[in-house]
Amino acid sequence: MSKKTSSKWINRQTKDPFVKRRNQLSARSRAFFKLVEINDKQRFIKKGYKVIDMGAAPGGWSEAASEVIGSHGHILSVDSSDFKSVRNGTSLKINCLDPRLKGKITGVFVPGSVDVVMSDMAPNLSGIKARDEANWLDLVDVSLSIADLFLQKNGTFLVKFFQFRDTASAYNRIQNSFRMVKRLKPQSSRAESSEFYVLAKGKKNSDQEVLN
Ligand SMILES: C[S@@+](CC[C@H](N)C(=O)[O-])C[C@H]1O[C@@H](n2cnc3c(N)ncnc32)[C@H](O)[C@@H]1O
């Protein structure tokens, strides 16, 4: 039986207030509310900002960010799956582990010019913990490398985390790159999920500083 036809799944979806609100607002995904909630509290996406959204499909986060940045901002939404680009944005279909990713992004944004890099990327879970953890760590590392290259000095990095054995070392890598790092669990993130988000601000050794 597929996940979407199990009675447990249907029961959870029927009771979930964020699924109801998503349907009322025709938001592209339930994840939309996670970004709205995080940004309401942290105010890191603002009018006119340049944003990179990694793992953007079906586009809930991009949709939420696009409302805030308005027509003077721009959002580049990246995913390996097909999805429709949002207003004030461009979409890029590529596997983020593809070595051509940086070059493709450079076609849209100059390195060191972006205000926000965010990643809600999650690997397809195999159920084999070590493999799932390794796949997720690759996604964190690639999003951190995009943040390192494209964020402006005071830019913000938001990335999805899971509780795994080596989660602390991934968190430390982010602390080594940014001045302020915090852990967030929005109410719209399911309590039973080990998912949480890490928000980091202010690059420690930005390329711009090294070059100057
Ligand atoms: C939780 S969903 C993102 C939901 C999205 N933030 C929203 O609001 O609609 C995770 C996404 O990560 C993408 N993803 C996972 N691994 C990826 C990779 N290596 N390259 C690009 N996208 C990837 C998946 O295709 C999926 O669309």
Side-chain angles (χ1 to χ4, degrees):
M1 189 185 291
S2 85
K3 181 178 131 185
K4 296 198 175 180
T5 51
S6 82
S7 55
K8 195 171 156 204
W9 186 86
I10 292 169
N11 204 15
R12 191 180 77 175
Q13 295 295 97
T14 330
K15 286 187 181 153
D16 186 330
F18 293 101
V19 171
K20 283 187 190 146
R21 275 181 72 202
R22 182 189 95 179
N23 295 339
Q24 283 158 1
L25 292 176
S26 313
R28 292 194 192 190
S29 65
R30 188 186 176 286
F32 170 91
F33 296 104
K34 297 181 196 170
L35 188 69
V36 168
E37 198 184 329
I38 294 173
N39 197 49
D40 275 354
K41 291 196 177 125
Q42 308 295 331
R43 304 267 170 210
F44 66 99
I45 305 173
K46 295 186 178 161
K47 203 167 172 182
Y49 269 18
K50 293 177 185 151
V51 178
I52 299 174
D53 182 9
M54 301 175 70
W61 278 27
S62 288
E63 202 172 36
S66 155
E67 292 294 314
V68 181
I69 62 176
S71 56
H72 294 295
H74 194 83
I75 179 160
L76 174 65
S77 312
V78 187
D79 205 286
S80 48
S81 310
D82 276 319
F83 70 105
K84 232 174 77 197
S85 55
V86 295
R87 238 178 335 143
N88 315 313
T90 313
S91 63
L92 171 62
K93 184 180 175 185
I94 189 169
N95 183 331
C96 289
L97 301 173
D98 185 319
R100 292 171 301 174
L101 177 67
K102 286 182 180 166
K104 297 269 183 193
I105 297 179
T106 306
V108 180
F109 291 131
V110 174
S113 72
V114 169
D115 302 290
V116 175
V117 171
M118 52 192 194
S119 167
D120 195 22
M121 282 193 289
N124 284 328
L125 296 180
S126 67
I128 302 166
K129 270 203 173 161
R131 183 188 297 169
D132 292 340
E133 173 165 20
N135 291 341
W136 166 69
L137 285 171
D138 285 346
L139 298 178
V140 172
D141 286 344
V142 74
S143 53
L144 181 58
S145 77
I146 294 300
D148 269 341
L149 182 61
F150 287 95
L151 275 184
Q152 50 105 335
K153 217 167 125 185
N154 297 312
T156 303
F157 177 46
L158 176 71
V159 58
K160 189 204 274 293
F161 259 58
F162 292 99
Q163 198 56 60
F164 279 118
R165 212 190 42 177
D166 269 347
T167 293
S169 63
Y171 193 87
N172 288 344
R173 285 203 287 288
I174 296 179
Q175 281 183 315
N176 289 339
S177 298
F178 289 87
R179 292 193 181 89
M180 190 286 295
V181 182
K182 58 176 147 177
R183 181 189 161 121
L184 307 168
K185 176 82 176 171
Q187 279 183 358
S188 41
S189 171
R190 298 183 202 279
E192 69 270 24
S193 164
S194 76
E195 162 195 276
F196 63 98
Y197 291 89
V198 171
L199 184 85
K201 276 185 187 198
K203 291 198 292 182
K204 278 185 180 165
N205 296 308
S206 67
D207 292 333
Q208 296 98 307
E209 282 172 344
V210 172
L211 291 174
N212 287 339

